[in-house]
């Protein structure tokens, strides 16, 4: 039986899943080094994701060394990874990650990138292979489901790709790590959601010392 389609993201208390769009920040690495907006963007993003960096599983998965925190946050990070048999992401997320991920990318499963770019599959050490899909989210999700088997497919991001799947009725469940930070501006996770088509059922609310984990089942309205 096919697994679920889900997404799992961190979100600020005022509803942002990322700081301001990276589109306004200079594109080349040389220009970015001189752009103070990038430093501000990274500082905000690090604050948003601060709950996961100390976790033992996160550190092990990225080969950052031994040790780290163990507890519910760590368990959730591990459970999210273990349930995922394949991922789908947008081109913007891939472009940022291609520059930032270590050689052994942290997915360790097939990843399907929704893009207009023609490119051969990119295989990385550790079991991650990026496949570039040029005919839309339904095709990418179908390919991800096929290789995931009875495990789940994660819509990895970014926010536009998540929203596209949500509005198309393709998401079964999602989880939010609600971080105690305020951005004031940035990329809103649900900006543009078709609320007339999406109904939510609360599943879990789990507070930790760092964030509150919220899980919802998605139903058609």
């Amino acid at each position: 039986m096919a697994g679920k389609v889900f997404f799992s993201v961190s979100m600020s208390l005022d509803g942002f899943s990322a700081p301001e769009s990276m589109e306004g920040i200079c594109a080349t690495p040389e220009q970015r080094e001189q752009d103070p907006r990038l430093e501000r963007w990274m500082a905000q993003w690090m604050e948003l994701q601060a709950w996961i960096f100390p976790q033992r599983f996160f550190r092990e998965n990225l080969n950052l060394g031994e040790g780290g925190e163990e507890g519910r946050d760590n368990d959730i990070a591990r459970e999210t990874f273990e349930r995922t048999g394949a991922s789908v992401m947008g081109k913007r997320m891939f472009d940022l990650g291609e520059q930032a991920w270590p050689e052994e990318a942290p997915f360790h499963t097939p990843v399907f990138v929704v893009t207009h770019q023609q490119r051969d599959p990119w295989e990385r050490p550790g079991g991650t292979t990026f496949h570039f899909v040029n005919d839309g989210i339904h095709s990418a999700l179908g390919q991800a489901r096929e290789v995931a088997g009875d495990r789940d497919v994660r819509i990895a991001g970014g926010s536009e790709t998540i929203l596209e799947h949500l509005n198309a009725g393709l998401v079964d469940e999602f989880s939010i790590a609600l971080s105690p930070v305020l951005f004031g501006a940035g990329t809103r996770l649900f900006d543009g959601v078709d609320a007339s088509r999406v109904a939510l059922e609360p599943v879990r609310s789990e507070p930790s010392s760092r964030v509150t984990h919220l899980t919802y089942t998605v139903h058609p309205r």
Side-chain angles (χ1 to χ4, degrees), residues 7-141:
F7 65 86
S8 177
V9 298
S10 298
M11 188 175 76
S12 71
L13 199 57
D14 51 349
F16 297 99
S17 58
E20 65 181 291
S21 172
M22 288 288 284
E23 284 187 352
I25 298 175
C26 297
T28 69
E30 295 78 12
Q31 290 173 321
R32 285 183 177 180
E33 286 181 2
Q34 303 175 22
D35 193 330
R37 292 175 297 175
L38 178 60
E39 184 177 352
R40 183 175 67 249
W41 192 98
M42 287 301 300
Q44 287 184 298
W45 186 85
M46 294 286 286
E47 188 178 11
L48 179 68
Q49 305 291 347
W51 71 274
I52 194 144
F53 296 135
Q55 305 309 318
R56 183 182 185 93
F57 176 77
F58 178 85
R59 292 180 56 80
E60 290 175 348
N61 193 36
L62 269 73
N63 296 318
L64 298 177
E66 298 181 356
E69 295 181 6
E70 296 188 37
R72 190 60 188 134
D73 287 337
N74 187 65
D75 291 343
I76 287 173
R78 184 183 299 277
E79 290 164 5
T80 300
F81 175 85
E82 291 178 346
R83 70 183 284 191
T84 302
S87 297
V88 176
M89 71 175 57
K91 180 63 162 51
R92 290 180 188 173
M93 180 176 179
F94 173 78
D95 286 345
L96 289 172
E98 187 176 17
Q99 301 175 39
W101 292 318
E103 183 180 12
E104 187 174 312
F107 300 95
H108 307 291
T109 61
V111 178
F112 295 86
V113 182
V114 182
T115 178
H116 296 296
Q117 180 186 28
Q118 300 283 338
R119 181 170 171 177
D120 291 333
W122 187 41
E123 186 175 351
R124 310 305 296 147
T128 301
T129 300
F130 294 95
H131 302 269
F132 301 90
V133 182
N134 306 127
D135 50 353
I137 61 171
H138 289 84
S139 176
L141 183 58

Side-chain angles (χ1 to χ4, degrees), residues 149-180:
D150 59 357
R151 296 169 72 191
D152 297 335
V153 174
R154 182 181 185 182
I155 311 303
S159 296
E160 290 185 7
T161 301
I162 287 173
L163 192 65
E164 193 174 1
H165 283 80
L166 188 60
N167 283 341
L170 300 174
V171 175
D172 300 308
E173 181 182 290
F174 66 85
S175 296
I176 291 172
L178 191 62
S179 297

